[in-house]
Amino acid sequence: MDESGGSGRPQSDGADGPRPAEPHGPHHTPGSQEPTRPIGTAEGPERPADGPTRPADEPRRPAEPPRDEHTTSLTKTPGTDTPSAETPRTDTRRAEPPSAETLRTETPRTETPPTETPHAETPREERPAEPPRPRAAYSGRPGKGTPVPPKAQKGPGGGLLMGKPFGVPVYVAPSWFLVAALITWVFGNQLDRVLPELGGARYLVSLFFAVAFYASVLVHELAHTVAALRFKLPVRRIQLQFFGGVSEIEKESETPGREFVLAFVGPLLSLVLAGVFYAGMQAVDAGTVPGVLLAGLMISNLIVAAFNLLPGLPLDGGRMLRAVVWKITGKPMSGTVAAAWVGRALAISVLIGLPLLNQSGALGGEAQDIGGMDTVTDALLAAILAAIIWTGAGNSLRMARLREHLPELRARTLTRRAVPVESETPLSEALRRANEAGARALVVVDTDGDPMALVREAAIVSVPQHRRPWVGVGGLAQDLTEGMRISVELAGEELLDTLRATPATEYLVVEESGEIYGVLSAADVERAFVKAMARPT
């Protein structure tokens, strides 16, 4: 039950007594490669190499699985495949916990301690009071019967909540205000040449254009969202941010056809909006404020649609290319690799080609000489776009690698063997039973053998060796809540989602019949997740 990992099959003791300890050897689970240490001898809690020390009893939040994100205009981040079902290990030995009679005859009561202390330096009258029993650590509003962690409720990056169309929250990131100010300034200078009679009011018109343009981006993202909801894919949020928007879809499409449709509807809606604005231009004079605004919105939506149709991740066109390769090869991983490398090639093309096209006038402007602020601005814009595309393509490959290994996270293989004990059992006696059985976890049960609480590993380590005969395990336990009971068959993303719903340091793992299988440590899951991320495909 140490945070550094170890071996030993996680199971509860049988009715006929504890099982003999299994031979110690290299750890066979994804969570660790270290040999077993006797229970109660764990070192202090781990501290990240570059991070602050975490309190020993603070619940570890399991790593969050990746989300499928559709972004508009310039950025897109790939999502994850739904992990395939894993075949559980064939070794499914389990045993009933000891009967109430056995527990009562084997367990001395702490309220009648022996007349002699095990160590002379610790008199009875100096025994510390039994620590209060901690409650389950969780917070957040309820959802589908389980609490939601606080992280799931916060706005992305401190964004402002603007509404919930179709039940999906829409946030505006702080970076949007910077872009809106930039668009207002640039478009205002353009209006000064086209409509000089506006004077200072041109900036109000420019601000309206910036808001209308991002409203078009929101429509693009809502197209992705509606399609995802139609395919029964949960959408966490929509965010308007620097250089566009993002729709965070928490699952990936199950088929390449749905993936193609999900990616294509965004650019399609942008093209439809461009057509609507073009039709509006026919009803007004070109030299008026409405005419200029409609022309600007038509051109901007055409640019959004065309850019997102480029065939490279993380853009919509890249997801469409991925769906095509997936359909041909039958392997989503092959589609991701192909579209990601095309995305990297696209990033290099943007970095080199965009400044050259602007200087040549091929994008509709006047030809420019190399040098001056215009050249610097073009190069800076191209570098930002290229960096976004390159990073998104790299993230796509990274998430694809994770999807290959995520199913390896199985509750059955990561669970620690546990022994049941009553709450009055002295810690030293409970540890003796656990070490004798080769177990690394303690489950507090009532007189009928039903689990009531889990003994926290950090609490065990904090009790000095000479105090353990005088401390009952009940004072070190965390009461079980419904979210802390998980099925032994959980694996992959489903396992991570279940743990995130109720943050805790340990979880009781049970068979489908309700029998105790063992205890799952969040630390073991976290280490296995990190190893899956680092393992090459």
Side-chain angles (χ1 to χ4, degrees), residues 9-13 19 91-94 416-418 517:
R9 280 290 298 150
Q11 294 179 355
S12 58
D13 290 338
R19 295 185 182 275
D91 181 9
T92 58
R93 295 172 299 160
R94 61 181 184 272
R416 300 176 176 184
R417 183 195 296 269
Y517 183 80

Side-chain angles (χ1 to χ4, degrees), residues 271-295:
L271 289 173
V272 171
L273 286 176
V276 171
F277 291 131
Y278 177 79
M281 289 172 56
Q282 310 309 310
V284 298
D285 295 333
T288 62
V289 170
V292 173
L293 285 175
L294 289 172

Side-chain angles (χ1 to χ4, degrees), residues 359-372:
Q359 291 163 10
S360 66
L363 296 181
E366 298 180 358
Q368 305 170 3
D369 295 330
I370 297 178

